[in-house]
């Protein structure tokens, strides 16, 4: 199936607006959003498992007297000056993670021991000139970032919205405790959320909010979820709307004014937020195929599919179940189940694009999404993974900056840890036509083949690449992505080696690699999922325009078959090109057994129609890659010697 046709099924402004239509039919009273107990409700905290309480208090104790760093102008300017984004982000996220540790500890212990440090953290964040990351400091999509922020025009990026949700959650949890110190703590938080989040949200248009058929990505629901959390977690006073209806300006061009003039009550403002958030969910979903495949990969599912679930949960709760039917929509159910389908074993996932093969443990959010969509296998998977990680998602870096996720985990911790996970977890064979992702399994092998095109969000030039695991361990690997820098999301992206097709399990044809773009794609894709030998075949010539210029009638057909009965994968390539080098990335160092025979970890491989050119070591020195790979990777290079090439791995 044509990937791009599926992606743009709602092009020409024909966008299915189920969420907005649902919002527009809500005429009831907004309900309070109380996702977990406030700190003052100590009975609920006292019943938490002792081991969990000890873990949370210990994490807070490690942050007592924490020196919240001052972020200087020169720290902000560094990204623009030298492309380094890690140094600034280390300061930025450390502050927020420390604050979350302190808040959770105070909620559990509730003796005031952590309050002073919590207030230092809140005021430190409120004193920041801007909440958007330097790498996101622009007003128009894909334009150069400004070296410093304009304090009069807040940019609502991913982490400005995350910060808003953090402060709103802190206010929700510790409202009484803050007011016992001073009423001006909540005033400070409210003022910052009004200026930096709610007024820009209601009066400006940022690209991620959605417009016509402009492509969306995880930003849309990630930001939307956190705006909803900011709105409905905050213990707003009845004067909220009058505070929001002060004179406003349009921050980003000729955006529509969503805040009604002469706003006189909170409900009108909440309705405006409800409608705008619902419409953004529709814009996000227009770029998903009905199959629910996340084109950004398993890691980004946590920021895409799970943030859709988070937004839906807030929308549904505050409207007293008005959005409930959308959880039973097949498209939403398919989005939920994606993470189970791309899971391989234990910590490993099938990865492509910027995704890592180690995408993080599943946990409470996957479990709750499974419950909401009625999928017991997803619940089982999430509980198994949560238990395998010993509930680490309470404080780990995956959820470090999001206090809401952490508190969700705290109050579902016991439920997941006590789940009976003795049931067998099976991974079904599936083909995702919207992205061209083919996933099949045998008793010992797990195989993924990526068709589609080279225009995915977070794209790598990987059309036709394969990934293979044996006994749950990687054999043929997808490297992933290095630490993000200024070059990562720039016109020079494909100068980075990990983005290039030559560093995927793909051929180099006539000395050229694949090119990025929607027109550089797999064609004539055919799949067989049923039976004992599932297979996928495709024509790859269109992905190699430079090779086509050399060989005008170029053809390069790749077929990959999993023979389940013998636990064997067969890759067959046929081409009329005379100059072909086949590249294969391996996790374990290949060992030459004889001509045409290799061992790769636990697997044996044999090939025909090519000669061994080299086995190269790919040093893994980047910090981000080191989180995925515990040693160097390797690249096998084979020089094609025939029109037909065959690789067999078992």
């Amino acid at each position: 199936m044509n990937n791009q046709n599926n992606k743009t099924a709602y092009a020409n402004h024909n966008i299915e607006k189920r969420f907005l239509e649902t919002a527009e039919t809500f005429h009831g009273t907004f309900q309070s959003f109380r996702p977990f107990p406030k700190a003052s409700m100590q009975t609920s905290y006292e019943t938490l498992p002792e081991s969990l309480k000890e873990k949370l208090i210990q994490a807070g104790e490690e942050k007592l007297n924490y020196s919240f760093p001052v972020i200087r102008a020169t720290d902000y300017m560094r990204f623009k000056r030298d492309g380094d984004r890690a140094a600034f982000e280390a300061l930025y996220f450390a502050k927020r993670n420390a604050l979350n540790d302190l808040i959770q500890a105070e909620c559990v212990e509730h003796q005031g021991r952590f309050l002073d440090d919590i207030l230092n953290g809140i005021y430190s964040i409120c004193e920041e000139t801007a909440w958007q990351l330097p790498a996101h400091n622009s007003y128009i999509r894909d334009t150069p970032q400004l070296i410093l922020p304009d304090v009069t025009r807040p940019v609502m990026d991913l982490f400005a919205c995350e910060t808003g949700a953090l402060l709103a959650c802190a206010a929700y949890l510790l409202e009484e405790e803050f007011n016992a110190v001073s009423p001006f703590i909540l005033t400070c938080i409210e003022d910052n959320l009004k200026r930096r989040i709610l007024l820009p949200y209601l009066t400006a248009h940022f690209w991620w909010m959605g417009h016509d058929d402009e492509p969306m990505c995880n930003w849309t629901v990630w930001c939307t979820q956190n705006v909803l959390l900011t709105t409905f977690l905050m213990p707003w006073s009845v004067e909220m709307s009058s505070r929001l209806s002060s004179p406003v300006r349009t921050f980003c061009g000729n955006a529509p004014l969503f805040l009604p003039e002469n706003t006189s009550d909170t409900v009108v403002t909440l309705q405006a937020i409800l409608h705008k958030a619902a419409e953004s969910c529709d814009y996000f979903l227009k770029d998903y195929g009905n199959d629910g495949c996340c084109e950004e990969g398993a890691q980004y599912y946590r920021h895409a599919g799970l943030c859709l679930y988070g937004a839906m949960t807030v929308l549904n709760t505050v409207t007293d179940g008005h959005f409930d039917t959308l959880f039973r929509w097949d498209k939403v159910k398919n989005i939920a189940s994606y993470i189970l389908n791309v899971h391989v074993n234990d910590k490993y996932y099938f990865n492509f694009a910027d995704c890592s093969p180690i995408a993080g443990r599943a946990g409470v959010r996957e479990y709750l999404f499974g419950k909401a969509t009625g999928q017991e296998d997803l619940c089982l998977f999430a509980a198994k993974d949560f238990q395998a990680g010993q509930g680490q998602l309470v404080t780990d870096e995956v959820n470090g900056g999001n206090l809401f996720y952490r508190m969700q985990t705290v109050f579902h911790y016991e439920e997941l840890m006590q789940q009976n996970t003795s049931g067998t977890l099976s991974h079904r064979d599936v083909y995702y036509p919207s992205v061209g992702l083919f996933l099949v399994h045998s008793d010992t092998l797990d195989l993924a083949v990526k068709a589609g095109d080279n225009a995915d969000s977070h794209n790598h030039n990987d059309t036709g690449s394969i990934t293979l695991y044996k006994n749950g361990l990687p054999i043929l690997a997808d490297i992933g992505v290095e630490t993000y820098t200024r070059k990562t999301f720039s016109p020079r992206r494909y100068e980075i080696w990990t983005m290039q097709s030559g560093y995927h399990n793909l051929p180099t044809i006539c000395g050229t690699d694949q090119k990025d773009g929607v027109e550089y794609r797999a064609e004539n894709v055919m799949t067989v999922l049923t039976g004992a030998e599932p297979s996928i075949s495709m024509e790859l010539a269109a992905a190699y325009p430079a090779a086509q210029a050399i060989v005008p009638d170029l053809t390069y057909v790749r077929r990959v078959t999993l023979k389940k009965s013998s636990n064997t994968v067969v890759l067959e390539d046929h081409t009329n090109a005379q100059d072909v080098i086949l590249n294969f990335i391996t996790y374990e160092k290949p060992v030459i057994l004889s001509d045409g025979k290799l061992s790769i970890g636990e697997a044996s491989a044999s090939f025909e129609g090519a000669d061994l050119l080299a086995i190269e070591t790919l040093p893994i020195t980047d910090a981000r890659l080191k989180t995925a790979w515990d040693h160097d990777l390797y690249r096998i290079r084979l020089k094609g010697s025939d029109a037909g090439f065959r690789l067999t791995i078992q």
Side-chain angles (χ1 to χ4, degrees):
M1 182 177 292
N2 186 303
N3 184 23
Q4 182 64 12
N5 286 346
N6 224 24
K7 287 182 187 176
T8 57
Y10 301 119
N12 302 318
H13 317 305
N14 183 25
I15 297 169
E16 191 172 9
K17 296 204 171 179
R18 292 199 189 194
F19 277 77
L20 180 58
E21 290 168 0
T22 302
E24 289 175 339
T25 60
F26 174 69
H27 304 295
T29 301
F30 283 99
Q31 305 297 305
S32 297
F33 185 58
R34 296 171 180 156
F36 30 74
K38 293 172 174 280
S40 58
M41 303 170 67
Q42 273 298 291
T43 302
S44 298
Y45 287 86
E46 290 167 0
T47 59
L48 292 172
E50 288 300 321
S51 61
L52 174 59
K53 290 191 287 185
E54 290 172 6
K55 182 188 297 186
L56 294 173
I57 291 172
Q58 181 181 356
E61 287 175 335
E62 292 173 359
K63 298 301 191 301
L64 279 171
N65 302 312
Y66 181 80
S67 179
F68 287 89
V70 174
I71 296 179
R72 304 168 300 173
T74 50
D75 296 323
Y76 206 96
M77 292 190 286
R78 182 169 178 181
F79 172 77
K80 189 70 174 178
R81 285 176 168 173
D82 65 17
D84 185 300
R85 58 184 287 177
F88 174 91
E89 291 176 15
L91 296 172
Y92 182 97
F93 291 119
K95 295 172 70 168
R96 286 149 176 80
N97 293 349
L99 179 57
N100 287 338
D101 287 340
L102 291 161
I103 290 171
Q104 288 190 295
E106 180 59 34
C107 287
V108 171
E109 186 181 87
H110 206 241
Q111 294 178 5
R113 185 159 63 117
F114 302 95
L115 268 179
D116 283 355
D117 288 300
I118 290 170
L119 295 180
N120 283 339
I122 288 172
Y123 277 79
S124 175
I125 289 172
C126 289
E127 288 162 5
E128 291 175 356
T129 302
W131 288 345
Q132 70 268 21
L133 299 186
H136 302 158
N137 188 34
S138 62
Y139 295 95
I140 301 174
R141 189 176 192 175
D142 297 330
T143 57
Q145 295 83 6
L146 302 170
I147 193 168
L148 284 168
D150 179 350
V151 297
T152 69
R153 302 176 64 198
V155 173
M156 293 184 69
D157 79 328
L158 296 173
F159 298 104
C161 296
E162 283 259 329
T163 299
L166 189 166
L167 294 181
C169 194
Y172 167 82
L173 288 166
L174 294 168
E175 178 184 9
E176 292 184 21
E177 292 73 14
F178 288 164
N179 282 334
V181 176
S182 168
F184 301 130
I185 299 169
L186 289 184
T187 300
C188 176
I189 294 174
E190 286 188 17
D191 177 70
N192 275 272
L193 296 185
K194 177 190 77 173
R195 287 187 294 106
R196 300 181 193 243
I197 304 297
L198 295 178
L199 278 176
Y201 184 70
L202 288 167
T203 62
H205 181 80
F206 296 92
W207 68 263
W208 54 261
M209 295 174 175
H211 178 70
D212 292 339
D213 59 358
E214 182 178 358
M216 296 292 99
C217 63
N218 63 72
W219 278 57
T220 302
V221 284
W222 192 351
C223 292
T224 298
Q225 170 200 256
N226 283 308
V227 169
L228 289 169
L229 291 174
T230 300
T231 302
F232 291 102
L233 276 175
M234 187 68 194
W236 299 106
S237 64
V238 294
E239 294 85 13
M240 180 187 79
S241 60
S242 63
R243 295 181 184 185
L244 287 176
S245 59
S246 56
V248 296
R249 57 185 287 190
T250 297
F251 295 109
C252 303
N254 297 319
L257 186 65
F258 283 89
L259 185 64
E261 295 181 5
N262 303 317
T263 301
S264 60
D265 60 65
T266 301
V267 172
V268 175
T269 303
L270 295 182
Q271 285 175 336
I273 293 171
L274 182 80
H275 288 183
K276 190 167 186 179
E279 188 169 30
S280 286
C281 290
D282 288 323
Y283 281 119
F284 169 75
L285 286 168
K286 77 173 171 51
D287 293 318
Y288 262 77
N290 289 326
D291 56 25
C293 187
C294 178
E295 70 172 8
E296 298 170 289
Q299 259 178 317
Y300 289 90
Y301 165 89
R302 268 83 196 225
H303 306 311
L306 288 186
C307 286
L308 173 68
Y309 164 72
M312 291 177 69
T313 298
V314 181
L315 292 170
N316 197 45
T317 303
V318 301
T319 60
D320 197 21
H322 192 69
F323 286 76
D324 189 61
T325 58
L326 293 179
F327 285 106
R328 295 187 287 278
W329 182 11
D330 283 345
K331 189 171 187 175
V332 170
K333 294 174 71 172
N334 290 338
I335 288 172
S337 63
Y338 164 86
I339 194 65
L340 172 56
N341 290 336
V342 294
H343 178 249
V344 177
N345 179 64
D346 191 37
K347 64 181 180 179
Y348 288 113
Y349 287 81
F350 289 125
N351 66 303
F352 55 93
D354 277 351
C355 185
S356 168
I358 300 177
R361 292 286 183 188
V364 167
R365 292 199 294 156
E366 290 88 345
Y367 177 80
L368 294 176
F369 204 3
K371 286 184 72 173
T373 55
Q375 300 185 83
E376 293 182 4
D377 55 347
L378 179 55
C379 295
L380 174 63
F381 162 65
K384 275 182 177 285
D385 218 33
F386 189 75
Q387 291 177 13
Q390 290 298 304
Q392 67 181 29
L393 298 187
V394 174
T395 57
D396 78 345
E397 292 181 1
V398 173
N399 293 333
N402 196 300
L403 183 57
F404 177 77
Y405 299 164
R406 285 186 175 212
M407 295 305 295
Q408 268 189 320
T409 301
V410 166
F411 282 98
H412 290 90
Y413 180 93
E414 196 165 20
E415 180 180 353
L416 265 74
M417 292 300 285
Q418 292 182 354
Q419 283 290 307
N420 179 355
T421 56
S422 60
T424 301
L425 186 66
S426 60
H427 295 87
R428 67 189 182 96
D429 294 348
V430 61
Y431 177 60
Y432 284 111
S434 67
V435 176
L437 187 59
F438 177 83
L439 311 170
V440 291
H441 313 266
S442 72
D443 292 339
T444 61
L445 298 179
D446 300 280
L447 170 70
V449 184
K450 172 71 165 56
D453 61 41
N454 286 331
D456 295 323
S457 181
H458 292 265
N459 180 71
H460 290 200
N461 290 338
D462 59 0
T463 296
S465 189
I466 79 170
T467 308
L468 180 65
Y469 287 77
K470 182 173 182 179
N471 298 325
L473 298 174
I475 303 299
L476 298 181
D478 184 298
I479 299 169
V481 69
E482 293 179 309
T483 302
Y484 286 164
T485 66
R486 182 171 57 192
K487 185 187 285 189
T488 309
F489 299 103
S490 78
R492 298 178 61 195
R493 176 179 177 88
Y494 295 95
E495 295 176 12
I496 301 171
W497 67 286
T498 59
M499 312 291 184
Q500 299 166 7
S501 61
Y503 289 94
H504 289 79
N505 298 308
L506 286 166
T508 298
I509 306 175
C510 300
T512 72
D513 281 346
Q514 293 185 4
K515 183 168 173 47
D516 60 291
V518 69
E519 64 268 44
Y520 308 115
R521 57 187 306 103
E523 297 178 327
N524 303 325
V525 179
M526 299 182 65
T527 62
V528 176
L529 277 179
T530 57
E533 297 190 359
S535 66
I536 181 170
S537 64
M538 68 196 82
E539 169 62 75
L540 294 177
Y544 292 83
Q548 286 182 313
I550 298 170
V551 184
D553 60 343
L554 178 68
T555 178
Y556 198 103
V557 176
R558 168 162 286 187
R559 178 183 177 87
V560 186
T561 303
L562 174 62
K563 298 186 176 184
K564 295 194 176 192
S565 60
S566 60
N567 293 304
T568 302
V569 166
V570 179
L571 179 150
E572 299 167 291
D573 289 356
H574 296 275
T575 182
N576 61 352
Q578 301 299 308
D579 179 9
V580 174
I581 294 175
L582 295 127
N583 305 292
F584 295 101
I585 311 299
T586 69
Y587 173 65
E588 298 290 0
K589 186 174 184 178
V591 177
I592 302 171
L593 301 177
S594 61
D595 286 348
K597 295 186 183 298
L598 301 167
S599 68
I600 307 170
E602 297 186 9
S604 60
S606 62
F607 57 88
E608 306 167 23
D611 299 313
L612 181 62
L613 188 63
I615 295 176
E616 303 171 345
T617 299
L618 304 179
I620 300 301
T621 58
D622 174 77
R624 182 165 180 165
L625 287 182
K626 282 184 174 181
T627 65
W629 308 113
D630 51 12
H631 56 65
D632 293 341
L633 299 180
Y634 305 90
R635 180 167 71 156
I636 302 171
R637 308 207 80 191
L638 306 175
K639 175 70 173 176
S641 59
D642 197 354
F645 169 78
R646 181 183 176 97
L647 173 69
T648 303
I649 300 179
Q650 58 184 165

